[in-house]
Amino acid sequence: MIKKVLRSLMLGSLLVTLTCSNLAGKAEAAAVNTIPNASKVEQGYDSSFLSVPGFASLGVKDRSSYAGTSYYRTVSSGREFLQAILDAGSGAVKVIEVTDNLNLGWTELALNSTEISKYSFVTKYPDPSNGFTNPLLITSGVSKLSIANIDGLTIFSASGKTIKHAELKLQSSVNDIVIRNLNFDEMWQWDDTGEHKEVGWTFIKVNGANNVWVDHCKFSIAADGMIDMENGSTNVTYSWNEFGLAAAQNPATSSSIYKSIEYMEQKYATGSLNSSTSLYYKIRNEGATKNQIMAYAAYHSKVHLVGSGDKDYTNYVGSNGVEIKDGNQRLRLTLAYNRYTNVGSRLPMIRQGVGHLFNNSFDNSTHQNVLDSVTAISKYGHDKLSRGMNARNGASIAGDTNVYNAFNEPLIGAELQGDDTANMNAPFDVLFKDAMNHSLIVNSTVTTSSGTTYTGSSWDNNGVNAFTNGMNWNNKATIGQWAWSSSIVGIENMSKSNPPSTPFTFTYGYNEQLPYAYKTVPLSGVVSTVNQYAGVSKVSWNTAEWLKTNYYDAYSTIEAERYTSMSGVKNEASSEGGQNVGYIENGDYIAFNNVNFGSVGPTSFEARVASGTSGGTIEIRLDSSTGTLVGTCPVAGTGGWQTWVTKTCAISGATGTHNVYLKFTGSSGYLLNLNGFRFIK
């Protein structure tokens, strides 16, 4: 079947029996294996998985048409990159291709006074409160690039080049930005307190920007977050990225870990470390070797912060100057097909917004091996967390078909926010205390640090299972109910500077549908698929291919609303979940570029259609709306515009790669709706 036929159903409507082993060794009789109010297809990996998934699919745009134009800029130095960012603000640049490694540290840029004024969006990042321990950063310095006033930009490297020593901060006046196939590195140093609070270096901060896609990138480790998301940003997706590092006793001698630990080793050897306060001294003095500490250092404690502090609520101000109160309700993040290695928490942590995770691999095993094998590190090392999703202040986070290895707490936090107010300042500890946090993991596997494996759902056994070891349930009112949103009642009449004295009340979107359909590979294939394809330079494309947002395999489901171009149609909400193409009249068309048919063409065309009238005809043409006709598919009335049926028609003459045009013909008025289609050999 095609798109959306594996539609998720409300809890209780679809139960399947799973073979599970929990911590007590007791098998669960049944487990919910779908997220309520969501639509997905499960299939083997193909090129269609490389299309923009999740929330970003609602707003980022294809920029392949800019290849070879004046809007396309190649950069090979820091100054060229800064100029391209500046020109993107005026609309003169829509694509930036990075063709060499970029060193963007404040010291190494060495901007003169004229350049500092010209590139005013670049500033020096404050130094760590306890001083530098990484000689690389002492030499380079660290910069912050506050990117603003851009509508439509792709930054990518066809060859996987590296950006170093800078945080990219995407402000609220940024819309539709894509970052692909780049390596981000050297924003970390050994923190000798072990608290990871001395500096806020983050690779990317989505600070109010909308419609952001970060794809096929690699992030080593940073002093603070990897990619943080704040101030009401919405429609953001991180896909096919590699986060973190494997624990290695012999890292590259050019790496931040090697340089920083060598720096600390010299201080230890000369007796210049404080024996009572230095974490390095304590670990080293009790027998850990320098190289064992290098392996331990390959760990990132805070990965994806989402939401601007749970000490208050944040108002969002758009590029048009209009203020939206309670901006955190706008937060929308998708994590798909990512590989996480030795990461400890915030996977993600979301305050009031929404998170959706699918086909991610989280593996802390090599870090756990260090903790298990080195007594001094286990005794003094602070980095022992293995926490996953954390919903706060009315947030909703749902995970589907993910794998957690050497993880003890895939889900943490409190169902009722009032049970977790330790880090919240007055009066917001009271204002948010009645917020219900919705958390759900389905069809996933966790293996704990002790080696026990559990497969199933976080709602299994009334919420008592290996997924929920870090969860503080209140009355378990959220088990069996799912909400894709929350909002504070009456917020439009509240003043942030003079908040109310009584707790907020909330409205939850229990009937809301996830606004897109998504694809997963089966659970058994998650780790191998992500290991093979997630990260920088894992696919080989020409420059124009990197600028696309959709990739089509003829024999996989193609969602109708994901067309490359169209004439006359409109997208609308579908009763099968996500969207369909509607308002179709005679002569309208939708087109899909670069559909791969292979050397042996299809014999039939299958479409999911609905019609409230007598219907019409779908012509399947190649390369233009008047191109070669390879099939004709008549569609009769189905009795309603959301009454869906599957229509199959014969087709011949399509081989190789073509732009496919679906042209609609018929009488006057609206003809039919189309939800999705595929070709069949």
Side-chain angles (χ1 to χ4, degrees):
M1 296 298 288
I2 63 171
K3 169 193 168 190
K4 300 165 185 163
V5 297
L6 293 179
R7 184 179 174 221
S8 298
L9 303 177
M10 292 297 293
L11 178 64
S13 298
L14 180 58
L15 299 176
V16 298
T17 300
L18 298 178
T19 301
C20 306
S21 59
N22 63 15
L23 294 178
K26 175 184 175 183
E28 297 294 339
V32 175
N33 75 337
T34 56
I35 301 172
N37 299 342
S39 303
K40 83 163 184 176
V41 172
E42 186 172 278
Q43 65 178 66
Y45 173 88
D46 61 35
S47 59
S48 67
F49 278 81
L50 301 176
S51 299
V52 53
F55 284 112
S57 68
L58 306 178
V60 300
K61 298 180 178 64
D62 183 297
R63 274 181 276 279
S64 57
S65 63
Y66 290 110
T69 73
S70 62
Y71 294 97
Y72 190 104
R73 184 80 56 86
T74 59
V75 302
S76 59
S77 69
R79 279 173 169 75
E80 289 179 351
F81 182 74
L82 298 183
Q83 185 63 47
I85 293 293
L86 184 66
D87 292 340
S90 67
V93 169
K94 292 295 184 180
V95 177
I96 300 174
E97 181 186 357
V98 178
T99 60
D100 202 351
N101 297 332
L102 301 181
N103 297 311
L104 299 176
W106 183 256
T107 304
E108 58 200 351
L109 280 174
L111 302 177
N112 59 40
S113 58
T114 300
E115 291 172 322
I116 289 173
S117 177
K118 180 180 182 180
Y119 305 125
S120 59
F121 57 90
V122 185
T123 56
K124 179 181 183 294
Y125 217 113
D127 294 343
S129 58
N130 299 314
F132 283 100
T133 64
N134 184 348
L136 295 173
L137 297 181
I138 294 173
T139 301
S140 69
V142 181
S143 299
K144 181 183 295 185
L145 277 64
S146 295
I147 299 174
N149 302 313
I150 291 175
D151 189 2
L153 177 67
T154 295
I155 305 171
F156 83 103
S157 172
S159 54
K161 297 304 182 183
T162 300
I163 292 179
K164 297 180 180 180
H165 313 143
E167 173 184 292
L168 305 184
K169 191 171 185 179
L170 310 180
Q171 304 286 35
S172 61
S173 56
V174 169
N175 175 62
D176 180 16
I177 188 164
V178 176
I179 300 173
R180 306 189 76 182
N181 205 43
L182 284 161
N183 181 29
F184 292 84
D185 199 8
E186 292 185 18
M187 290 284 279
W188 175 91
Q189 67 171 20
W190 175 266
D191 179 354
D192 209 28
T193 70
E195 300 296 333
H196 305 295
K197 294 182 178 180
E198 63 175 356
V199 71
W201 298 330
T202 302
F203 290 118
I204 299 175
K205 184 166 289 185
V206 186
N207 190 51
N210 299 309
N211 303 305
V212 177
W213 185 25
V214 181
D215 176 71
H216 279 92
C217 292
K218 182 177 181 179
F219 301 85
S220 56
I221 51 176
D224 198 5
M226 294 265 202
I227 310 180
D228 287 344
M229 178 177 163
E230 300 177 341
N231 291 324
S233 297
T234 199
N235 292 347
V236 178
T237 295
Y238 314 146
S239 64
W240 296 111
N241 299 298
E242 186 175 0
F243 296 95
L245 300 170
Q249 292 195 23
N250 295 289
T253 57
S254 61
S255 68
S256 285
I257 287 179
Y258 182 89
K259 296 291 187 183
S260 195
I261 299 305
E262 283 287 349
Y263 177 92
M264 295 303 300
E265 180 67 15
Q266 292 175 20
K267 294 176 74 68
Y268 175 78
T270 58
S272 57
L273 296 176
N274 187 315
S275 61
S276 62
T277 61
S278 168
L279 177 62
Y280 192 90
Y281 177 90
K282 293 175 182 178
I283 294 175
R284 190 76 170 85
N285 191 57
E286 289 215 13
T289 68
K290 173 187 66 177
N291 295 90
Q292 288 171 334
I293 298 175
M294 288 183 182
Y296 167 73
Y299 173 92
H300 190 97
S301 64
K302 297 175 284 188
V303 186
H304 301 311
L305 169 70
V306 182
S308 307
D310 55 8
K311 297 182 176 67
D312 58 15
Y313 63 86
T314 297
N315 294 341
Y316 171 78
V317 180
S319 57
N320 59 1
V322 176
E323 182 179 63
I324 300 174
K325 294 188 176 182
D326 183 24
N328 279 354
Q329 68 177 309
R330 303 179 76 254
L331 297 167
R332 297 288 186 273
L333 172 66
T334 300
L335 304 178
Y337 321 119
N338 297 302
R339 179 183 182 184
Y340 294 86
T341 303
N342 296 334
V343 290
S345 65
R346 301 184 179 180
L347 296 166
M349 180 172 77
I350 300 182
R351 289 152 175 160
Q352 199 181 341
V354 172
H356 182 209
L357 296 66
F358 53 94
N359 273 179
N360 299 285
S361 172
F362 304 91
D363 189 347
N364 281 345
S365 58
T366 61
H367 182 73
Q368 187 63 46
N369 289 340
V370 176
L371 295 176
D372 292 342
S373 61
V374 186
T375 302
I377 290 176
S378 180
K379 179 178 179 180
Y380 290 108
H382 295 203
D383 296 331
K384 299 179 182 180
L385 296 179
S386 53
R387 294 174 171 174
M389 62 172 66
N390 183 359
R392 301 181 62 84
N393 295 5
S396 298
I397 312 178
D400 185 355
T401 320
N402 298 299
V403 175
Y404 297 85
N405 187 29
F407 261 77
N408 295 324
E409 298 174 313
L411 194 161
I412 69 165
E415 179 185 39
L416 182 67
Q417 191 59 52
D419 294 332
D420 183 13
T421 59
N423 295 315
M424 300 177 71
N425 292 344
F428 300 101
D429 54 345
V430 173
L431 292 176
F432 279 103
K433 76 180 187 69
D434 292 337
M436 298 298 294
N437 300 313
H438 295 77
S439 302
L440 175 62
I441 297 173
V442 300
N443 191 37
S444 297
T445 293
V446 56
T447 301
T448 67
S449 60
S450 63
T452 303
T453 298
Y454 182 89
T455 299
S457 161
S458 61
W459 284 353
D460 293 349
N461 196 32
N462 198 31
V464 180
N465 52 70
F467 290 115
T468 61
N469 288 334
M471 185 67 179
N472 181 5
W473 296 105
N474 186 269
N475 60 7
K476 301 189 176 179
T478 59
I479 294 181
Q481 293 196 75
W482 185 253
W484 278 117
S485 67
S486 73
S487 59
I488 299 171
V489 176
I491 191 70
E492 64 276 5
N493 299 316
M494 296 180 190
S495 168
K496 183 175 179 179
S497 60
N498 185 27
S501 58
T502 57
F504 293 140
T505 57
F506 290 81
T507 298
Y508 303 99
Y510 288 116
N511 296 318
E512 185 175 340
Q513 293 282 326
L514 186 68
Y516 57 83
Y518 63 102
K519 291 183 178 181
T520 63
V521 299
L523 183 61
S524 60
V526 170
V527 173
S528 60
T529 301
V530 169
N531 286 352
Q532 182 173 355
Y533 296 109
V536 72
S537 295
K538 292 298 181 70
V539 292
S540 297
W541 283 331
N542 61 37
T543 55
E545 287 175 314
W546 278 112
L547 304 182
K548 299 180 185 299
T549 55
N550 290 298
Y551 305 87
Y552 307 108
D553 182 280
Y555 307 106
S556 295
T557 299
I558 299 176
E559 300 168 18
E561 70 273 19
R562 301 289 292 277
Y563 47 74
T564 305
S565 61
M566 66 84 177
S567 175
V569 306
K570 295 180 182 179
N571 294 348
E572 63 180 2
S574 170
S575 64
E576 295 195 311
Q579 295 183 310
N580 63 258
V581 170
Y583 301 94
I584 295 170
E585 297 181 277
N586 181 51
D588 293 346
Y589 67 81
I590 53 177
F592 303 82
N593 288 357
N594 297 307
V595 178
N596 182 12
F597 292 100
S599 58
V600 178
T603 58
S604 59
F605 169 83
E606 184 179 87
R608 192 73 172 162
V609 295
S611 177
T613 61
S614 58
T617 299
I618 305 173
E619 295 181 353
I620 302 97
R621 294 182 177 272
L622 303 182
D623 300 318
S624 77
S625 61
T626 58
T628 301
L629 181 67
V630 296
T632 302
C633 194
V635 176
T638 65
W641 294 109
Q642 294 295 318
T643 302
W644 298 98
V645 300
T646 300
K647 179 68 175 177
T648 303
C649 309
I651 189 172
S652 64
T655 58
T657 300
H658 294 274
N659 297 341
V660 171
Y661 282 72
L662 302 184
K663 185 176 181 179
F664 306 100
T665 61
S667 59
S668 61
Y670 297 130
L671 304 177
L672 58 98
N673 287 351
L674 179 64
N675 205 2
F677 63 94
R678 68 170 180 166
F679 296 89
I680 302 172
K681 291 184 180 180

